[in-house]
């Protein structure tokens, strides 16, 4: 607290003190520095998760959709459950008729491919024989008006088929390269995914102290709340002390201000009482002397004014006759009794007392730090024991017995798949080479077509006579025939490659992918008896007896934990291991049992209290200050001496008698001297007396009440401070405990969620199955099927290409005979017939 307050400040302090006493320190709000925050834990298994693959939109998606619809049309039969059951359990019982019946669509396509393989080469050989006999691809024998229309029609048809073949071969090139680009990473993804799954399964139960994976990594994350709690413990005592000081300072400072006001009232009252006593005595003594002087001066002035020689003096005579004392300060009450009662006060140093009380109260934060140091150290040691308890989560986690069969099964699949994958990769290389070579041959055929049509058309435009030989037209015809020969020569290889890839890719789509998407494969596996006993997936994966692969897949897909899919939840109660009281009971008990006495804050010692009580009983409030005020209303001299002196000076100027005038001037001068010396000094004493009377008269009516209130308030604050300090201490420790328990709860909840959904999650298994479908069906089977479909379009459109090319070659060669029976003039209007010998 600072210096003495004004009246307004005192009233404000009184109101603040009343509020502080009526509203004790809040016990339901936490005043710690910050509420419990949200802890951030490290992602535990990001490095061994199986990333989900998705179908990537492509510009070839319309082509893929068309191929899938064609395959669905070719193979409309559902999954051959009976046939697969027989193949897996008793392969010798399978009959060829059953396979043919199921694969009827593919058998029809095989027949068509076989006919194409035989018919086209045979037709090619027939064409070669005819060419050797100059029967096919020769010359036109006659020139007709319709030849131009037929030529243009053949050119358009051959161009159209060439464009279709070109578009198809471009798609074949693209899909052939896409199959190669997807096959290598797709095949590589199989062992990688299996290895990742196995690592995921193997890393879950690892609990070695130095391990940074699996359950141990989750347990190691307890370091996050532990460091946060230790950090909070480091600032707990200071925070509690500051909170106690903050919540009690309004009440304490208000009491100190009120105490300082009463001490100030005591000092000031004593000062004014002493002034009152001294001034009253001085006024009484001065008035006795003044009264004699006034009597002598009144006699002389009255005698002078009564002198007959004094002109016009009667008007001032009445004022001169009233020149006597106005106030009588000998009649005011004495304050000697009060001063005697206050003699020796104050016996105590109130300023030092208040300073010490203020210092003691302000040292509460440091004192709290000192008193709480032992319990803080105990709590920090307790955190090490809590760490050992949390480690028991990892030590008792029973996953190895449940994950070992799954890990062994994955390892077996990984080992057995390696040879097959290498064979698939080798055959894929052969397929890519064969596809690239055959697509290049088709491009060569198209090049022959384009070059032949261009040269033939150019030769036709330069030939003046249809029968003339034109080398460019002949070269165009020969190029067309080269393309025809290549088509005859390689068409059987094309159809064989088409059928081989069609048979593999088509069955992958209709038998595997289509039933994988609608989960018919899972249903087949789940049906008892479909798989041999050695392939019992439920037993090998240690699934629940009431579960199956479809249900496990759905549960894993939704993020279920391993113990929800396996039988783990029946032997290991995770919730029981993650109950917070198991780890926080001792920590909470140490905090709840802590009690610290912060010492007493003495605001008013006994001698100070006695001083205030003596002050209240001294009788300051019993003095009749009204008598003082009544006397002070009267002037020191009843007649105004300055006015009388000025009247005498005025009369002096009116006198004709010099002696009278001189005496009037002398009397006026004497009055001025009396006024300036004696009267003014007494008026100054009266003014000083009025100031003290004013203070004491304001203080007196409320003195008893104020002193009584101050003493009661001081005693109440001194009594309440330790109690409320303890309440706030308990409150803040309770808030701290709840906040730290929230850290424990956050960590344990995170552990439970992580063990269920991440570390011990089987979602990677479902993701791996989905990735396998994406890789096999969306990334490999779709471009594979699009490849044979595009190559098949090229192959089948080679037939009309051959026909249109052979028929078009005749139009690029010279016509043998220009004469026609319908009249040559009509067709060749400028022809001059050759002269021939005719028999008449």
């Amino acid at each position: 607290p600072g210096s003495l307050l004004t009246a307004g400040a005192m009233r404000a302090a009184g109101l603040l003190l009343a509020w502080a006493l009526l509203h004790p320190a809040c016990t339901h709000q936490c005043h710690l520095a910050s509420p419990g925050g949200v802890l951030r834990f490290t992602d535990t298994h990001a490095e061994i998760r199986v990333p989900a693959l998705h179908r990537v939109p492509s510009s070839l998606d319309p082509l893929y959709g068309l191929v899938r619809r064609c395959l669905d049309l070719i193979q409309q039969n559902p999954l051959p459950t009976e046939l697969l059951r027989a193949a897996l359990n008793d392969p010798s019982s399978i009959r060829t008729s059953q396979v043919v019946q199921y694969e009827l669509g593919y058998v029809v396509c095989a027949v068509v491919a076989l006919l194409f393989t035989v018919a086209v080469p045979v037709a090619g050989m027939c064409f070669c024989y005819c060419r050797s006999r100059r029967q096919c691809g020769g010359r036109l024998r006659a020139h007709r008006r319709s030849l131009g229309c037929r030529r243009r029609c053949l050119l358009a048809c051959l161009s159209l088929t060439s464009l279709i073949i070109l578009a198809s071969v471009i798609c074949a090139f693209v899909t052939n390269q896409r199959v190669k680009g997807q096959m290598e990473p797709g095949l590589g993804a199989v062992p990688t995914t299996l290895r990742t799954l196995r690592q995921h399964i193997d890393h879950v139960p690892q609990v070695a102290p130095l391990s940074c994976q699996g359950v141990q990594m989750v347990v190691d994350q307890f370091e996050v709340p532990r460091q946060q709690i230790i950090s909070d413990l480091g600032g707990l005592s200071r925070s509690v002390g500051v909170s106690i000081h903050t919540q009690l300072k309004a009440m304490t400072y208000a009491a100190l201000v009120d105490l300082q006001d009463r001490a100030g009232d005591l000092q000031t009252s004593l000062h004014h009482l002493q002034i009152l006593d001294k001034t009253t005595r001085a006024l009484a003594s001065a008035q006795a002397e003044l009264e004699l002087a006034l009597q002598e001066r009144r006699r002389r002035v009255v005698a002078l004014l009564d002198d007959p020689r004094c002109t016009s003096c009667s008007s001032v005579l009445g004022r001169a006759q009233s020149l006597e004392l106005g106030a009588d300060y000998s009649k005011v009450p004495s304050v000697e009794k009060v001063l005697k009662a206050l003699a020796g006060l104050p016996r105590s140093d109130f300023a030092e007392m208040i300073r010490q009380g203020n210092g003691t109260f302000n040292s509460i934060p440091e004192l709290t730090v000192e008193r709480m140091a032992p319990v803080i150290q105990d709590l920090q040691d307790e955190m090490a024991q809590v760490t050992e308890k949390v480690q028991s989560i990892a030590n008792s986690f029973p996953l190895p017995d449940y994950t070992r069969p799954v890990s062994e099964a994955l390892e077996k699949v990984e080992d057995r798949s390696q040879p097959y994958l290498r064979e698939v990769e080798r055959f894929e290389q052969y397929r890519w080479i064969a596809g690239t070579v055959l697509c290049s041959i088709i491009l060569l055929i198209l090049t022959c077509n384009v070059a032949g049509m261009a040269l033939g058309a150019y030769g036709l435009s330069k030939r003046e006579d249809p029968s003339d030989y034109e080398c460019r037209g002949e070269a165009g015809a020969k190029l067309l025939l080269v393309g025809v020969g290549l088509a005859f020569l390689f068409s059987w290889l094309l159809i064989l490659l088409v059928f081989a890839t069609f048979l593999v890719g088509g069955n992958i789509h209709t038998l595997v992918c289509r039933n994988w998407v609608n989960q018919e494969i899972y249903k087949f596996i789940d049906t008892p008896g479909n798989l041999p006993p050695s392939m019992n997936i439920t037993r090998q994966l240690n699934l629940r007896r009431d579960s199956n692969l479809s249900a496990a897949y759905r549960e894993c897909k939704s993020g279920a934990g391993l113990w929800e899919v396996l039988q783990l939840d029946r032997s290991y109660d995770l919730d029981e291991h993650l109950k917070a009281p198991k780890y926080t009971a001792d920590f909470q008990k140490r905090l709840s049992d802590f009690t610290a006495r912060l010492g007493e804050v003495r605001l008013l010692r006994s001698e100070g209290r006695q001083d205030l009580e003596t002050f209240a009983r001294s009788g300051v409030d019993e003095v009749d200050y009204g008598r003082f005020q009544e006397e002070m209303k009267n002037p020191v001299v009843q007649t105004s001496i300055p006015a009388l002196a000025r009247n005498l000076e005025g009369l002096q100027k009116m006198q004709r008698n010099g002696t009278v005038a001189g005496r009037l001037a002398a009397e006026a001068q004497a009055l001025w001297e009396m006024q300036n010396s004696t009267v003014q000094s007494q008026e100054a004493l009266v003014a000083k007396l009025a100031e003290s009377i004013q203070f004491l008269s304001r203080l007196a009516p409320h003195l008893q009440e104020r002193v009584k209130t101050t003493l009661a308030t001081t005693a109440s604050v001194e009594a309440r401070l330790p109690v409320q300090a303890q309440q706030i201490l308990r409150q803040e420790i309770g808030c701290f405990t709840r906040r730290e328990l929230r850290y424990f709860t956050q960590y344990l909840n995170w552990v439970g969620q992580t063990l269920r959904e991440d570390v011990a999650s089987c979602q990677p298994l479902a993701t791996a199955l989905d990735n396998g479908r994406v890789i096999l069906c969306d990334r490999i089977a779709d471009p594979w099927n699009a490849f044979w479909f595009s190559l098949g379009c090229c192959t089948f459109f080679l037939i009309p290409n051959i026909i249109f090319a052979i028929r078009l070659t005749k139009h690029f060669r010279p016509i043998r005979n220009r004469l026609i029976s319908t009249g040559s003039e009509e067709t060749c209007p400028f022809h001059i017939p050759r002269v021939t010998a005719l028999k008449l």
Side-chain angles (χ1 to χ4, degrees):
S3 61
L4 295 176
L5 300 175
T6 62
M10 292 174 61
R11 286 193 296 271
L15 292 174
L16 179 63
L17 178 60
W19 180 90
L21 293 174
L22 292 175
H23 297 79
C26 181
T27 59
H28 64 277
Q29 294 181 356
C30 293
H31 297 276
L32 290 173
S34 61
V38 178
L39 299 178
R40 303 294 181 184
F41 301 100
T42 304
D43 193 3
T44 56
H45 266 59
E47 72 281 0
I48 59 173
R49 282 179 178 161
V50 178
L53 302 179
H54 303 283
R55 179 183 181 89
V56 180
S58 170
S59 57
L60 295 175
D61 285 346
L63 177 61
Y64 296 160
L66 177 62
V67 175
R68 285 195 293 268
R69 286 191 291 273
C70 291
L71 288 174
D72 292 340
L73 184 63
I74 292 172
Q75 176 58 282
Q76 301 181 8
N77 295 322
L79 183 69
T81 304
E82 298 296 332
L83 191 61
L84 289 176
R85 183 189 296 116
L88 292 173
N89 291 278
D90 187 11
S92 60
S93 64
I94 299 177
R95 296 191 301 273
T96 305
S97 60
Q98 292 177 316
V99 179
V100 171
Q101 182 179 359
Y102 178 75
E103 299 281 351
L104 184 60
Y106 292 100
V107 171
V108 173
C109 293
V111 171
V112 173
L114 180 62
L115 291 176
F116 188 95
T117 304
V118 174
V120 174
V122 169
M125 289 187 291
C126 294
F127 174 73
C128 292
Y129 176 76
C130 291
R131 279 299 297 145
S132 65
R133 306 292 296 176
R134 297 181 180 276
Q135 296 296 322
C136 297
R139 303 180 182 183
L140 293 173
R141 296 182 179 277
H143 185 75
R144 294 182 176 83
R145 289 179 298 177
S146 61
L147 286 180
C149 180
R150 293 173 60 188
R151 186 188 307 118
R152 287 190 294 274
C153 182
L154 289 173
L155 277 171
C157 291
L158 184 58
S159 299
L160 179 61
T161 54
S162 297
L163 286 176
I164 295 175
I165 294 173
L166 177 63
S168 300
V169 78
I170 290 174
C171 291
F173 263 119
V174 173
T175 53
N176 186 49
Q177 191 61 35
R178 184 161 294 184
V179 171
K180 177 178 173 57
Q182 293 291 342
M183 184 67 75
E184 183 175 353
L187 295 176
V190 174
T192 301
T193 302
L194 292 173
R195 194 177 306 112
T196 302
L197 283 175
R198 186 160 49 83
Q199 290 174 354
H200 175 76
I201 297 299
D202 291 342
H203 291 167
V204 167
Q206 291 184 5
V207 295
L210 299 179
S211 174
C212 293
Q213 301 169 350
V215 179
Q216 182 60 41
M217 188 172 184
V218 175
V219 171
D220 290 343
Q221 286 295 300
F222 181 67
E223 188 67 15
V224 175
R226 191 182 77 85
Q227 289 294 340
Q228 182 64 48
I229 292 171
I230 290 178
S231 175
D232 291 346
L233 283 172
L236 173 62
S237 55
R238 168 65 60 177
S239 177
V240 170
V242 170
S243 181
I244 293 174
H245 183 270
T246 301
Q247 295 186 58
L248 297 180
K249 67 181 180 180
M251 176 178 67
T252 305
Y253 287 166
L256 289 172
V257 168
D258 192 55
L259 179 60
Q260 180 172 314
D261 291 342
R262 299 292 80 73
D265 289 345
L266 173 60
Q267 295 278 4
T268 308
S269 298
L270 184 59
H271 172 69
H272 284 290
L273 285 170
Q274 292 171 349
I275 290 175
L276 182 63
D277 183 60
K278 292 178 181 179
T279 304
T280 304
R281 293 176 182 273
L283 282 173
S285 175
Q287 279 189 327
E289 296 177 1
L290 179 61
E291 184 177 10
L292 294 176
L294 284 176
Q295 290 175 358
E296 177 62 23
R297 189 59 49 198
R298 182 175 67 245
R299 183 184 63 78
R300 293 174 64 89
V301 172
V302 169
L304 179 60
L305 292 177
D306 277 340
D307 192 339
R309 294 174 296 175
C310 186
T311 306
S312 301
C313 293
S314 59
S315 60
V316 184
L317 182 60
R319 178 171 292 180
Q321 290 175 347
S322 62
L323 189 62
E324 58 185 13
L325 291 176
D328 186 2
Y329 288 101
S330 62
K331 299 178 181 179
V332 296
S334 175
V335 293
E336 290 182 5
K337 181 180 178 181
V338 178
L339 287 174
K340 189 177 295 185
L342 296 176
L345 295 184
R347 288 185 292 272
S348 59
D349 188 348
F350 280 94
E352 177 64 20
M353 191 187 311
I354 293 172
R355 187 188 65 79
Q356 290 180 359
N358 191 31
T360 304
F361 176 74
N362 290 336
S363 66
I364 285 179
E366 289 74 16
L367 185 61
T368 306
V369 172
E370 178 184 347
R371 298 293 172 83
M372 292 189 69
V375 73
I376 295 298
Q377 184 60 45
D378 292 343
L379 290 172
Q380 291 176 345
D381 296 339
E382 177 67 23
M383 290 307 300
Q385 300 179 13
V386 175
T387 303
E388 296 177 359
K389 294 178 182 179
V390 172
Q391 181 62 39
S392 65
I393 298 176
N395 296 334
S396 61
F397 208 67
L399 270 181
D401 296 339
Y402 295 88
T403 57
R404 191 179 298 111
V406 181
S407 179
E408 292 174 354
L410 292 174
E411 185 177 8
K412 186 182 298 183
V413 172
E414 181 181 352
D415 293 339
R416 291 183 178 181
S417 64
Q418 293 291 346
Y420 296 104
L421 294 176
R422 286 193 292 270
E423 288 298 317
V424 170
E425 187 174 2
R426 184 167 64 87
F427 282 112
E428 164 57 23
Q429 187 68 21
Y430 296 154
R431 183 209 63 78
W432 179 79
I433 294 173
T436 303
V437 170
L438 291 177
C439 289
S440 301
I441 292 173
I442 294 175
L443 282 181
L444 182 60
I445 294 172
L446 291 175
T447 304
C448 292
N449 286 351
V450 174
M453 287 188 289
L455 289 174
Y458 184 66
L460 285 176
S461 65
K462 295 298 183 180
R463 190 167 60 187
E464 298 180 356
D465 194 308
S467 62
D468 292 342
Y469 176 81
E470 214 289 318
C471 62
R472 285 163 291 201
E474 186 66 26
K478 289 181 179 180
L479 284 174
L480 289 177
L481 289 179
V482 169
V484 171
L486 290 174
F488 278 127
L489 184 62
F490 292 100
S491 59
W492 67 278
L493 289 176
L494 286 169
I495 198 64
L496 287 180
L497 180 61
V498 168
F499 180 72
T501 53
F502 158 73
L503 189 62
V504 174
N507 277 292
I508 288 177
H509 171 73
T510 57
L511 194 61
V512 179
C513 295
R514 187 171 63 187
N515 295 292
W516 199 339
V517 172
N518 57 26
Q519 299 189 4
E520 288 295 327
I521 291 180
Y522 298 145
K523 296 178 183 178
F524 174 79
I525 295 175
D526 293 336
T527 302
N530 284 348
L531 297 179
S534 61
M535 298 176 62
N536 191 327
I537 303 296
T538 301
R539 187 177 66 253
Q540 289 183 356
L541 295 181
N542 202 16
L543 301 179
R544 300 192 307 265
R545 292 189 180 91
D546 58 345
S547 182
N548 52 40
L549 185 60
S550 299
Y553 170 76
R554 287 192 299 270
E555 291 176 2
C556 292
K557 184 80 172 175
S558 62
L562 283 177
W563 51 74
E564 295 181 24
V565 179
L566 307 177
Q567 300 178 10
L568 182 63
D569 54 344
R570 300 181 180 179
S571 61
Y572 185 81
D573 190 353
L574 182 61
D575 293 333
E576 181 65 28
H577 287 78
L578 296 181
K579 288 183 177 180
K582 183 177 180 180
Y583 308 98
T584 62
D586 293 340
F587 183 87
Q588 191 172 359
K589 187 175 186 301
R590 286 181 183 271
L591 280 173
S592 61
D593 292 345
F594 172 73
T595 301
R597 293 191 59 81
L598 302 179
E600 294 183 356
V601 178
R602 299 296 298 175
L603 304 182
L604 182 63
R605 292 195 294 269
S606 59
E607 58 269 22
R609 183 178 297 275
Q610 290 175 3
D611 286 349
L612 292 179
E613 291 175 350
T614 301
F615 177 46
R617 296 193 304 266
S618 64
V620 174
D621 55 334
E622 297 175 359
V623 177
D624 188 1
Y625 299 104
R627 293 281 303 276
F628 285 93
Q629 292 171 347
E630 289 178 1
E631 287 299 327
M632 285 187 294
K633 293 178 183 179
N634 299 323
V636 176
V637 180
Q638 191 170 356
T639 298
S640 175
I641 293 178
L644 180 59
R646 284 191 292 270
N647 289 336
L648 294 178
E649 289 173 349
L651 290 175
Q652 179 211 347
K653 297 176 182 179
M654 299 172 59
Q655 300 303 315
R656 291 188 294 271
N657 189 323
T659 303
V660 174
R663 290 177 64 187
L664 286 173
E667 292 299 328
Q669 181 65 31
L671 287 174
W672 280 117
E673 291 177 358
M674 180 182 292
Q675 173 66 29
N676 293 332
S677 60
T678 307
V679 176
Q680 284 188 354
S681 63
Q682 290 190 22
E683 288 179 345
L685 290 175
V686 171
K688 187 176 181 180
L689 181 63
E691 182 180 350
S692 298
I693 293 299
Q694 183 180 5
F695 173 81
L696 293 171
S697 62
R698 285 201 310 267
L699 174 68
H702 310 289
L703 175 62
Q704 294 282 352
E705 180 184 355
R706 287 182 179 178
V707 172
K708 183 179 179 181
T709 301
T710 299
L711 293 175
T713 299
T714 305
S716 175
V717 170
E718 289 178 346
R720 289 163 60 88
L721 275 176
V723 176
Q724 292 195 2
Q726 285 297 320
Q727 291 177 354
I728 296 172
L729 175 68
R730 302 310 314 156
Q731 167 194 326
E732 296 302 319
I733 289 180
C735 290
F736 174 82
T737 304
R738 289 191 293 273
R739 184 175 68 175
E740 305 314 306
L741 291 181
R742 282 197 292 269
Y743 290 141
F744 278 105
T745 304
Q746 284 186 49
Y747 169 72
L748 294 175
N749 290 340
W750 175 81
V751 169
Q753 181 180 1
T754 304
L755 292 181
R756 288 185 175 96
E757 300 178 4
D758 190 358
V759 174
S761 172
C762 70
Q763 191 170 17
L765 300 175
T767 304
L769 290 175
D770 292 340
N771 289 350
R773 180 186 57 78
V774 172
I775 292 172
L776 178 63
C777 301
D778 296 338
R779 299 192 177 183
I780 295 179
D782 278 351
W784 175 290
N785 290 327
F787 167 72
W788 65 253
F789 186 82
S790 302
L791 195 62
C793 289
C794 296
T795 305
F796 282 103
F797 273 95
L798 284 178
I799 297 176
N801 181 81
I802 292 172
I803 297 172
F804 295 141
I806 292 174
R807 294 180 66 83
L808 190 59
T809 54
K810 296 182 179 182
H811 293 270
F812 294 157
R813 289 175 171 163
I815 300 174
R816 293 182 179 179
N817 186 3
R818 294 178 287 104
L819 295 177
I820 56 177
S821 58
T822 58
S824 59
E825 292 81 359
E826 184 177 356
T827 57
C828 298
F830 301 103
H831 174 68
I832 302 176
R834 184 184 300 175
V835 178
T836 57
L838 300 175
K839 291 182 181 181
L840 301 175

